[in-house]
C-alpha cells in the first residue's frame, strides 16, 4: 500500500474491495511503528482497537452502508477524549486518565466508520508552538528531525506529513492547527468557533478552542470536517446552524468557487515576515491567474492580538485547569500531609513549566486590582480585532496572509524565550480571537522547509476558504510534496 | 443607649428540577454517595455545562412573583476557589448580571400585620458537593451528589429590624417558593438555607454598623435565635467599648450561640469572570408571558382576599395561607358550603391538632373538606352542639362513615324536642330542692349546676339554649 495515496483513492479501493480496511489499517500501523523512534508523533497506539474498528468498517463496506470515511484511518490529537483509551493531553497530570466518554467530534468520526490509529503527541494542554512542551517528549519535524513540527498539534501535523495517517484531528486555540500545518507542509483547517463541538475536547481556553483537521489537501480536509462539524446539544457554544453545503460534501471533490473571490491582503501581516514573501507573491499570482482579484485591506489592531490572546487564553486556562487538583482523577502526589500539600504537590508535579506559566499569568490577569487593566482591556482589544475583520469582510470575501513569520525553527531555539515563542503566533491569533475559519495550505519552500499560506474567511465562511484553497491546489503541487525520508 | 438591629438575609432556594442545573444527573435526595454525579458534576476533562431550562424558568417565575425586573440577558460567571467538594475549582454562579433584579416581598408577621421587605436580586448558581468528615478516620470523604444542584440565591435589602421579622421573612419566602412550586421547602434536607447579615446601630443613626454574616442557618427557629444571640453579642461588645469585626460566624444551635468562622480580611479573591462555556441566558417576552400565565394566586393576595371577602382576621388569614395545601383545604371546605369563620376555626383548631397528633399532612387528612363542611352545617342547623360536633369529628377521623351516619349511629343529635326536654328539666328541678332554694334566694350561679344536670341526663345532646330557657321557666318562683 502506498503512503500518501489520496483519500478518494483509498475510499474507492475500499469500496471496490481492492483492499480491506484491515489491510489498510495494518499498513499505517506498521509505518507508525517504523517511524515512532525518530518522530515521536504518537502518545498512544492501540493496534487491537484500530483493527477491531477496521473489521467493523469492512463489514459495513461489505453491507454497502459505508460513508466516505468508512475504513479510513485517522489519528486523534490526544486532547480529544476517546472512551476506554487514555487521553493524556501531553501531560503528566493526565498520563493515566481514561475518559468514560468520547469527544463529540470523535464519536461522529467513529459513527462514519473512521478507524482510530492512535492518539497524537502535543504540547501539554495544547499550550505551545513547538511541541516541545509534551510530557511524552518532543515531536520531530519530518522535513528535518532537528526542527520542531510546530504546536500544539505537532504530532498530528507530523504524522500526516510523514504519511503515518491520511487524516488527523487537531485543535487550534491561537494557531495550533495552522502553524504546525505550515511547518510540516500539510493542509490544516481551523473552522469557525462553534462549528465543531468542544464536548470531550480537554479545554485550554474555552472561548478560543476549536477542533479541526489535518489532511493532504483542502478537499480531503473538507470530507473530514463535514463529518466532525455540526450542532451539539452538549456544547452550549456549538453553533446551531446547519450548513447544507458542508454536510452535503460526502467524498465529492471540492468544486472551484462559483465566482472567483475577492481576496484581501492585510498589510500588517506582511511587515514582520522572515521567510516566504516570494512564495506568497507566487501564490497571489497563481490565484489571480485563476480569476481571483486582490485588494489591500487594513487590519490595524493586528499588533494587539498577541497580548490580548495571551491574557484571555491564560485567564481561561487558569480556571479551566483548576479541576486538576489530585482529588478525583489525574496525578496525585504521594502521601499528602494536608489538603494544601495535596494541591500544591499534585499540581507542581503534574504540570510542566509552560502550563504553570500560563496558569500564573492568567490568575494574575483575573485578580482583584488587575482585572480591568488586563482581562477587560484584552476583551476590548479582542472586540477591536473582530471589528477589523468585520470591516474588511465588507469589501472582500477572504483574506490571504502568511501562516507563520518563518519556517520551522530548530528544536531548543526558543525554549528559553517564551515571548519570542509567543510571537510565532502573531499571524494566527487574530483569526482565533475573532472566531473566524482559517486554514493553512502549503505554498512552497525556503531552504528545503515548507511554507504555508493562510486563508481567513468570515464567520461560517468555510466554503469560500476551502473552495479557494482547492482552487489553489488545483494549480499548484506543493501539497503533493513529501519529505524524502518518508516518501 | 437604645440600639437597633439592621438585618439582611440571603436565602438559598434549592430549585425543584429533576436534573441538575448544568447536567442531566438526578437531584433526588438521599442516594448513595456519588451515585448521582455524572462526568459534568465530577468536573472531568472536556465535559461542558449546559444550562437547565427548567431552572431558568423557575427563577423567572420567582422574579415575577416578587414584582422584579427579569434581566433579558443574564450571565453565568465562574467563582474561583479550591475546595475538595468543588470539583471544577470554580462554582458557576451569576455575579455582575443576575437573572432577577430588584423586587419586594410582603411578609405576614405573626401579629397579623404585614411588612414589605425589599429584595435586591436573585441569581442562579450551582451547589457544591458535601465533605464528609466523620466517616473515615483521618480522611475526608467527598460526596458529589449535591454538586450541581440548582440554587436560586435571594438577597434581601437590609430592611429587617428584628429576629422575629427575619424569621417571618424566611417563613414567607418558604411559603412563596412552595406556592410557586419551585422548591420542595424541605428544610431538614437543606432545600432552603439562609445566611444572615446582622449589624446594630444607635436607634435613629443614619449609618449602618459593621456587620457580621451568620452562615448556613436551616430552620425558622434557628434564624430567630441566631440573630437574637448575635444582636445581643454585638450590643455587649459595643457597650463594653469594643468594636465589631467584619466576619463570618456559625450558629451552634446546641449551645445557642454564634462563633467566629473566619474574618473577611482573610477572604479569597474569587476572580469572577464570565464563564466562556456558557452563553448569556436570554429571556424573551414570550417566555415572560408564558411564565406569567402559570403564576398561581400568590400568598399575599390570598391573605388579603381572606380578610376582605371572607371576613377572616388577618391572623387567621396569615395562618391559613402559609401552606398552599392548607389554603386549598380551607377553600374546599368553604366551597362545600362551610361558613368561612367556622371553617377557619375548625381547620386551625380540631383538624390541625389531629393532623399534628397523628403526624399527617393535610393532603392526607382522613376527614375530607366535604365532611368538615357537612359537620359545620350540622352545627349551624343546631343538630350538633359544639361538644357533639367534636365527637362527630373523632368519628369522621376514625373513618366511621359520613356525617349523618355517625350522628345517627352515635346518637349525637341534640335533644331539641321541647316536650322531652321539659320533662327532664322538671325532673331535675324536682330532684334538687336545695339548689332551687338557693337560686330563688338570688344565687344565679346555681343555674350552671342545673344546666350541667340536664346535660348529664341527656348525655350532652340537649340544645343549651333551650335548656336555659326551660330552666328559667321552671325555676321561677
Amino acid at each position: 500500500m502506498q503512503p500518501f495515496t489520496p483519500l478518494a483513492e483509498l475510499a474507492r479501493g475500499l469500496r471496490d474491495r481492492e483492499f480491506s480496511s484491515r489491510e489498510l489499517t495494518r499498513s499505517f500501523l506498521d509505518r507508525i511503528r517504523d517511524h515512532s523512534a525518530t518522530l515521536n508523533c504518537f502518545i498512544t497506539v492501540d493496534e487491537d482497537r484500530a483493527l477491531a474498528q477496521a473489521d467493523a468498517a469492512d463489514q459495513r463496506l461489505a453491507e454497502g452502508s459505508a460513508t466516505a470515511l468508512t475504513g479510513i484511518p485517522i489519528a486523534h490529537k490526544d486532547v480529544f477524549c476517546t472512551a476506554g483509551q487514555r487521553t493524556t493531553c501531553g501531560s503528566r497530570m493526565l498520563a493515566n486518565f481514561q475518559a468514560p466518554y468520547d469527544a463529540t467530534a470523535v464519536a461522529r468520526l467513529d459513527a462514519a466508520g473512521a478507524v482510530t490509529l492512535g492518539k497524537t503527541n502535543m504540547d501539554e494542554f495544547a499550550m505551545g508552538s513547538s511541541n516541545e512542551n509534551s510530557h511524552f517528549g518532543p515531536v520531530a519535524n519530518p522535513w528535518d528531525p532537528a526542527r520542531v513540527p510546530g504546536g500544539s498539534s505537532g504530532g498530528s501535523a507530523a504524522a500526516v506529513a510523514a504519511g503515518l495517517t491520511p487524516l488527523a484531528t487537531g485543535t487550534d486555540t491561537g494557531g495550533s492547527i495552522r502553524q504546525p500545518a505550515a511547518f510540516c507542509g500539510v493542509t490544516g483547517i481551523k473552522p469557525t468557533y462553534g462549528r465543531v463541538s468542544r464536548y470531550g475536547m480537554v479545554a485550554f481556553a474555552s472561548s478560543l478552542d476549536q477542533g479541526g483537521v489535518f489532511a493532504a489537501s483542502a478537499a480531503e480536509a473538507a470530507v473530514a470536517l463535514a463529518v466532525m462539524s455540526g450542532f451539539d446539544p452538549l456544547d452550549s457554544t456549538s453553533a446551531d446552524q446547519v450548513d447544507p453545503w458542508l454536510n452535503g460534501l460526502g467524498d465529492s471533490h471540492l468544486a472551484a468557487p462559483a465566482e472567483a473571490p475577492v481576496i484581501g491582503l492585510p498589510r500588517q501581516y506582511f511587515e514582520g515576515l522572515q521567510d516566504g514573501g516570494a512564495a506568497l507573491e507566487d501564490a497571489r499570482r497563481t490565484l489571480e491567474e485563476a480569476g481571483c482579484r486582490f485588494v489591500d485591506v487594513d487590519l490595524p489592531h493586528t499588533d494587539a492580538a498577541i497580548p490580548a490572546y495571551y491574557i484571555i487564553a491564560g485567564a481561561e486556562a487558569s480556571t479551566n485547569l483548576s479541576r486538576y487538583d489530585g482529588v478525583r482523577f489525574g496525578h496525585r502526589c504521594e502521601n499528602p500531609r494536608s489538603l494544601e500539600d495535596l494541591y500544591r504537590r499534585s499540581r507542581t508535579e503534574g504540570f510542566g513549566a509552560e502550563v504553570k506559566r500560563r496558569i500564573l499569568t492568567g490568575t494574575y490577569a483575573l485578580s482583584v486590582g488587575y482585572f480591568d487593566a488586563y482581562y477587560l482591556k484584552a476583551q476590548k482589544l479582542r472586540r477591536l480585532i473582530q471589528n477589523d475583520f468585520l470591516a474588511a469582510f465588507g469589501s472582500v470575501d477572504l483574506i490571504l496572509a502568511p501562516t507563520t513569520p518563518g519556517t520551522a525553527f530548530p528544536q531548543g531555539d526558543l525554549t528559553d524565550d517564551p515571548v519570542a515563542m509567543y510571537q510565532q503566533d502573531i499571524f494566527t491569533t487574530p483569526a482565533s480571537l475573532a472566531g473566524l475559519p482559517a486554514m493553512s495550505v502549503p505554498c512552497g519552500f525556503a531552504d528545503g522547509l515548507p511554507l504555508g499560506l493562510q486563508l481567513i474567511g468570515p464567520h461560517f465562511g468555510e466554503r469560500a476558504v476551502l473552495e479557494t484553497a482547492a482552487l489553489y491546489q488545483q494549480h499548484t503541487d506543493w501539497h503533493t510534496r513529501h519529505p524524502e525520508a518518508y516518501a | 443607649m437604645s440600639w437597633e438591629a439592621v438585618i439582611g438575609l440571603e436565602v438559598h432556594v434549592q430549585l425543584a428540577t429533576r436534573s441538575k442545573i448544568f447536567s442531566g444527573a438526578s437531584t433526588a435526595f438521599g442516594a448513595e454517595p456519588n451515585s448521582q454525579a455524572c462526568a459534568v458534576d465530577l468536573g472531568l476533562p472536556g465535559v461542558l455545562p449546559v444550562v437547565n431550562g427548567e431552572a431558568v424558568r423557575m427563577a423567572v417565575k420567582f422574579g415575577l412573583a416578587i414584582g422584579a425586573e427579569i434581566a433579558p440577558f443574564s450571565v453565568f460567571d465562574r467563582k474561583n476557589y479550591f475546595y475538595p467538594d468543588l470539583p471544577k475549582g470554580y462554582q458557576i454562579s451569576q455575579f455582575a448580571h443576575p437573572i432577577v433584579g430588584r423586587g419586594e416581598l410582603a411578609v405576614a408577621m405573626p401579629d397579623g400585620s404585614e411588612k414589605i421587605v425589599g429584595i435586591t436580586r436573585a441569581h442562579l448558581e450551582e451547589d457544591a458537593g458535601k465533605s464528609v468528615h466523620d466517616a473515615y478516620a483521618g480522611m475526608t470523604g467527598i460526596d458529589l451528589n449535591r454538586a450541581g444542584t440548582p440554587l436560586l440565591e435571594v438577597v434581601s435589602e437590609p430592611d429587617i429590624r428584628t429576629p422575629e421579622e427575619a424569621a417571618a421573612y424566611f417563613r414567607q419566602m418558604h411559603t412563596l417558593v412552595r406556592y410557586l412550586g419551585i422548591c420542595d421547602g424541605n428544610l431538614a434536607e437543606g432545600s432552603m438555607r439562609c445566611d444572615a447579615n446582622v449589624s446594630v446601630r444607635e436607634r435613629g443613626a443614619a449609618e449602618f454598623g459593621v456587620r457580621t454574616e451568620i452562615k448556613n442557618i436551616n430552620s425558622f427557629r434557628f434564624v430567630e435565635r441566631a440573630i437574637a444571640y448575635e444582636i445581643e453579642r454585638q450590643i455587649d461588645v459595643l457597650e463594653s467599648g469594643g468594636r465589631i469585626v467584619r466576619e463570618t460566624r456559625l450558629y451552634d444551635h446546641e449551645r445557642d450561640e454564634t462563633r467566629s468562622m473566619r474574618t473577611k480580611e482573610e477572604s479569597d479573591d474569587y476572580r469572577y469572570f464570565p464563564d466562556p462555556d456558557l452563553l448569556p441566558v436570554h429571556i424573551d417576552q414570550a417566555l415572560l408571558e408564558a411564565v406569567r400565565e402559570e403564576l398561581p394566586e400568590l400568598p399575599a393576595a390570598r391573605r388579603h382576599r381572606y380578610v376582605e371577602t371572607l371576613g377572616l382576621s388577618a391572623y387567621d388569614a396569615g395562618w391559613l395561607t402559609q401552606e398552599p395545601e392548607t389554603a386549598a383545604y380551607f377553600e374546599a371546605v368553604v366551597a362545600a358550603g362551610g361558613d368561612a369563620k367556622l371553617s377557619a376555626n375548625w381547620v386551625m383548631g380540631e383538624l390541625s391538632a389531629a393532623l399534628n397528633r397523628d403526624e399527617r399532612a393535610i393532603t392526607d387528612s382522613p376527614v375530607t373538606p366535604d365532611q368538615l363542611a357537612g359537620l359545620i352545617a350540622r352545627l349551624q342547623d343546631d343538630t350538633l352542639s359544639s361538644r357533639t360536633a367534636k365527637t362527630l369529628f373523632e368519628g369522621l377521623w376514625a373513618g366511621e362513615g359520613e356525617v349523618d351516619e355517625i350522628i345517627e349511629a352515635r346518637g349525637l343529635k341534640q335533644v331539641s324536642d321541647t316536650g322531652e326536654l321539659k320533662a327532664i328539666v322538671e325532673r331535675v328541678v324536682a330532684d334538687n330542692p336545695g339548689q332551687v332554694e338557693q337560686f330563688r334566694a338570688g344565687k344565679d350561679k346555681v343555674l350552671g349546676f342545673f344546666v350541667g344536670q340536664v346535660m348529664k341526663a341527656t348525655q350532652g345532646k340537649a340544645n343549651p339554649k333551650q335548656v336555659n330557657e326551660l330552666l328559667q321557666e321552671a325555676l321561677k318562683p
Side-chain angles (χ1 to χ4, degrees):
Chain A
M1 204 98 31
Q2 285 301 308
F4 305 112
T5 304
L7 195 62
E9 284 289 298
L10 293 179
R12 194 194 49 73
L14 287 168
R15 259 200 310 272
D16 296 350
R17 317 298 290 154
E18 280 172 22
F19 46 83
S20 66
S21 175
R22 174 172 266 268
E23 290 168 308
L24 183 66
T25 302
R26 184 72 260 167
S27 75
F28 280 108
L29 289 171
D30 290 344
R31 274 183 76 81
I32 292 170
R33 198 187 47 222
D34 292 347
H35 297 292
S36 66
T38 44
L39 291 176
N40 197 27
C41 291
F42 282 83
I43 290 173
T44 300
V45 177
D46 187 339
E47 299 205 348
D48 293 342
R49 181 190 167 104
L51 292 170
Q53 277 189 317
D55 290 343
D58 282 328
Q59 198 162 352
R60 267 179 86 169
L61 285 156
E63 286 163 2
S65 61
T67 75
L69 287 181
T70 304
I72 302 289
I74 191 168
H76 294 303
K77 184 178 182 181
D78 210 16
V79 73
F80 287 98
C81 290
T82 47
Q85 202 170 19
R86 69 175 177 164
T87 297
T88 71
C89 232
S91 180
R92 183 182 181 198
M93 184 59 87
L94 292 177
N96 293 310
F97 174 71
Q98 281 205 11
Y101 42 83
D102 281 320
T104 298
V106 169
R108 289 182 176 175
L109 288 162
D110 279 355
V115 174
T116 302
L117 295 171
K119 310 288 291 287
T120 60
N121 204 343
M122 57 183 283
D123 280 306
E124 185 179 7
F125 284 101
M127 299 175 189
S129 311
S130 69
N131 219 119
E132 292 168 292
N133 299 333
S134 171
H135 172 63
F136 300 90
V139 174
N141 189 318
W143 294 89
D144 177 354
R147 291 179 184 264
V148 304
S152 64
S153 314
S156 285
V160 172
L164 309 188
T165 178
L167 294 170
T169 55
T171 57
D172 188 316
T173 306
S176 284
I177 289 176
R178 290 162 286 161
Q179 186 247 19
F183 278 11
C184 292
V186 298
T187 300
I189 181 164
K190 174 200 98 76
T192 308
Y193 182 80
R195 181 70 97 179
V196 172
S197 168
R198 293 187 297 113
Y199 185 84
M201 226 170 77
V202 179
F204 160 17
S206 311
S207 75
L208 296 155
D209 293 344
Q210 181 57 208
V213 67
F214 295 92
S217 70
E220 296 184 4
V223 173
L225 183 63
V227 173
M228 292 167 73
S229 63
F231 175 65
D232 179 5
L234 297 177
D235 174 2
S236 310
T237 61
S238 147
D240 195 357
Q241 188 162 348
V242 180
D243 186 333
W245 172 81
L246 191 57
N247 297 331
L249 268 183
D251 57 353
S252 61
H253 283 279
L254 281 188
E259 247 178 275
V262 178
I263 302 176
L265 293 171
R267 176 173 55 81
Q268 288 83 356
Y269 282 62
F270 291 86
E271 282 163 0
L273 206 54
Q274 293 153 16
D275 307 304
L280 286 166
E281 187 48 40
D282 285 349
R284 171 199 167 128
R285 216 169 305 129
T286 303
L287 283 168
E288 257 172 357
E289 280 162 17
C292 301
R293 206 154 59 74
F294 282 85
V295 296
D296 287 341
V297 292
D298 198 22
L299 298 173
H301 297 94
T302 301
D303 273 356
I306 294 278
Y309 170 81
Y310 276 92
I311 285 166
I312 292 167
E316 293 180 9
S318 73
T319 98
N320 277 336
L321 270 61
S322 292
R323 66 191 61 200
Y324 307 109
D325 57 5
V327 173
R328 297 166 311 288
F329 57 83
H331 180 73
R332 180 186 174 97
C333 69
E334 296 283 338
N335 305 315
R337 290 181 301 273
S338 64
L339 180 60
E340 190 70 26
D341 185 47
L342 169 70
Y343 288 153
R344 190 188 303 270
R345 281 201 288 132
S346 298
R347 288 168 68 81
T348 301
E349 295 163 6
F351 291 138
E354 182 58 29
V355 170
K356 285 175 193 159
R357 180 164 22 243
R358 309 248 186 146
I359 291 173
L360 288 173
T361 52
T363 302
Y364 184 85
L366 288 177
S367 297
V368 163
Y370 302 99
F371 183 84
D372 291 2
Y374 292 94
Y375 181 78
L376 269 192
K377 187 169 250 176
Q379 290 290 11
K380 285 177 188 159
L381 290 171
R382 181 178 194 171
R383 171 64 62 185
L384 292 173
I385 290 163
Q386 271 170 354
N387 290 345
D388 280 0
F389 279 110
L390 292 180
F393 286 124
S395 57
V396 300
D397 301 310
L398 285 176
I399 286 168
L400 185 148
T403 307
T404 58
T407 53
F409 47 88
Q411 291 188 21
D413 249 24
L414 301 181
T415 39
D416 295 331
D417 189 351
V419 174
M421 186 73 93
Y422 295 172
Q423 289 297 328
Q424 286 297 314
D425 304 332
I426 184 155
F427 301 142
T428 46
T429 46
S432 295
L433 288 165
L436 300 170
M439 74 188 297
S440 181
V441 295
C443 69
F445 290 86
D447 300 325
L449 294 170
L451 290 163
L453 72 76
Q454 186 179 197
L455 287 169
I456 303 171
H459 290 112
F460 301 102
E462 278 83 353
R463 180 175 188 167
V465 172
L466 285 163
E467 285 184 344
T468 305
L471 178 68
Y472 176 72
Q473 290 180 333
Q474 283 161 25
H475 291 88
T476 55
D477 65 355
W478 303 116
H479 62 291
T480 63
R481 310 281 182 93
H482 307 296
E484 249 169 58
Y486 303 91
Chain B
M1 193 178 295
S2 171
W3 297 94
E4 176 185 59
V6 175
I7 302 156
L9 293 190
E10 289 167 24
V11 178
H12 298 258
V13 178
Q14 182 178 316
L15 296 175
T17 56
R18 275 181 305 173
S19 59
K20 294 184 176 178
I21 185 166
F22 298 120
S23 83
S26 165
T27 52
F29 178 84
E32 278 293 295
N34 297 310
S35 63
Q36 290 180 173
C38 69
V40 173
D41 307 321
L42 292 169
L44 293 186
V47 298
L48 296 168
V50 176
V51 70
N52 181 336
E54 197 53 33
V56 171
R57 206 183 170 87
M58 287 179 174
V60 169
K61 204 169 187 179
F62 176 83
L64 292 175
I66 59 162
E69 190 168 319
I70 309 297
F73 288 94
S74 62
V75 176
F76 283 107
D77 295 288
R78 291 184 182 178
K79 178 181 181 179
N80 294 284
Y81 64 97
F82 281 92
Y83 204 69
D85 61 24
L86 186 71
K88 299 185 294 296
Y90 57 84
Q91 178 195 27
I92 305 177
S93 182
Q94 294 187 314
F95 182 58
H97 304 284
I99 186 164
V100 175
R102 188 176 266 277
E104 61 180 38
L105 188 65
V107 179
M109 297 299 297
D111 66 2
S113 66
E114 193 170 271
K115 181 182 169 83
I116 304 295
V117 175
I119 289 171
T120 316
R121 59 181 280 172
H123 65 257
L124 284 165
E125 63 183 26
E126 60 177 343
D127 207 345
K130 202 169 73 181
S131 293
V132 182
H133 295 295
D134 46 5
Y136 312 93
M139 289 192 285
T140 297
I142 305 294
D143 177 5
L144 294 176
N145 283 352
R146 211 179 62 188
T149 299
L151 298 178
L152 186 69
E153 182 174 334
V154 184
V155 182
S156 88
E157 290 286 293
D159 288 349
I160 300 165
R161 292 290 172 269
T162 67
E164 295 73 29
E165 285 180 7
Y169 169 84
F170 193 22
R171 198 181 280 278
Q172 189 69 56
M173 190 66 70
H174 183 263
T175 298
L176 178 62
V177 298
R178 295 217 51 241
Y179 266 65
L180 298 175
I182 63 172
C183 174
D184 67 15
N186 192 328
L187 274 71
E189 291 177 3
S191 296
M192 277 181 82
R193 314 190 287 270
C194 93
D195 304 337
N197 286 295
V198 181
S199 65
V200 298
R201 62 178 172 187
E202 276 179 48
R203 198 168 292 282
E207 300 289 315
F208 292 156
V210 175
R211 70 169 188 264
T212 60
E213 184 179 19
I214 313 167
K215 280 275 185 202
N216 251 326
I217 319 171
N218 67 351
S219 91
F220 304 130
R221 198 157 52 96
F222 293 163
V223 168
E224 191 166 333
R225 281 168 53 183
I227 294 173
Y229 173 88
E230 183 59 18
I231 292 171
E232 283 301 310
R233 187 191 70 83
Q234 292 190 12
I235 292 173
D236 283 351
V237 168
L238 292 171
E239 288 190 339
S240 57
R243 63 177 190 95
I244 303 300
V245 185
R246 182 142 181 232
E247 64 182 354
T248 302
R249 299 180 71 84
L250 267 189
Y251 177 67
D252 178 340
H253 62 84
E254 274 161 25
R255 293 173 164 206
D256 189 24
E257 64 179 24
T258 66
R259 277 200 304 273
S260 179
M261 226 169 109
R262 61 184 152 89
T263 59
K264 284 281 176 184
E265 276 83 354
E266 53 198 72
S267 74
D268 304 295
D269 172 3
Y270 290 119
R271 306 193 312 280
Y272 283 102
F273 80 111
D275 190 334
D277 285 334
L278 291 161
L279 302 177
V281 180
H282 177 46
I283 308 292
D284 59 18
Q285 207 54 37
L287 177 64
L288 279 185
E289 289 316 313
V291 176
R292 207 187 297 279
E293 288 291 307
E294 290 169 12
L295 283 182
E297 182 183 30
L298 297 175
R302 188 173 253 181
R303 224 158 50 220
H304 297 157
R305 179 166 62 82
Y306 284 9
V307 172
E308 283 151 24
T309 67
L310 296 180
L312 300 188
S313 71
Y315 175 84
D316 288 0
W319 196 102
L320 288 167
T321 55
Q322 204 162 79
E323 299 294 337
E325 295 83 0
T326 309
Y329 187 100
F330 164 72
E331 292 192 18
V333 177
V334 173
D339 169 80
K341 281 184 181 166
L342 282 172
S343 300
N345 290 345
W346 275 86
V347 170
M348 295 169 67
E350 214 65 19
L351 177 69
S352 164
L355 291 170
N356 282 340
R357 183 192 65 220
D358 288 7
E359 291 178 1
R360 296 181 84 132
I362 197 162
T363 46
D364 190 27
S365 167
V367 179
T368 66
D370 278 348
Q371 290 174 332
L372 191 57
L375 178 153
I376 289 165
R378 288 287 169 266
L379 252 178
Q380 284 187 297
D381 70 11
D382 282 340
T383 306
L384 299 173
S385 67
S386 58
R387 204 172 121 195
T388 51
K390 284 180 184 173
T391 310
L392 168 61
F393 183 86
E394 283 163 23
L396 289 168
W397 187 267
E400 290 170 15
E402 290 306 319
V403 170
D404 289 337
E405 289 166 17
I406 300 172
I407 291 176
E408 195 58 39
R410 287 212 185 188
L412 301 178
K413 211 172 200 163
Q414 277 193 134
V415 181
S416 297
D417 179 314
T418 322
E420 194 184 332
L421 257 187
K422 196 170 179 186
I424 293 167
V425 166
E426 279 168 357
R427 198 183 69 227
V428 167
V429 169
D431 288 352
N432 298 283
Q435 279 79 1
V436 173
E437 282 298 319
Q438 289 173 16
F439 182 81
R440 287 182 179 157
K443 214 169 178 189
D444 290 350
K445 271 194 200 159
V446 182
L447 185 65
F449 163 80
F450 284 107
V451 171
Q453 290 298 309
V454 175
M455 283 302 187
K456 194 170 165 189
T458 61
Q459 287 153 324
K461 287 178 287 185
N463 181 332
K465 210 170 87 197
Q466 268 182 327
V467 172
N468 248 307
E469 285 166 10
L470 290 168
L471 275 171
Q472 295 284 6
E473 184 74 35
L475 289 168
K476 262 186 198 149

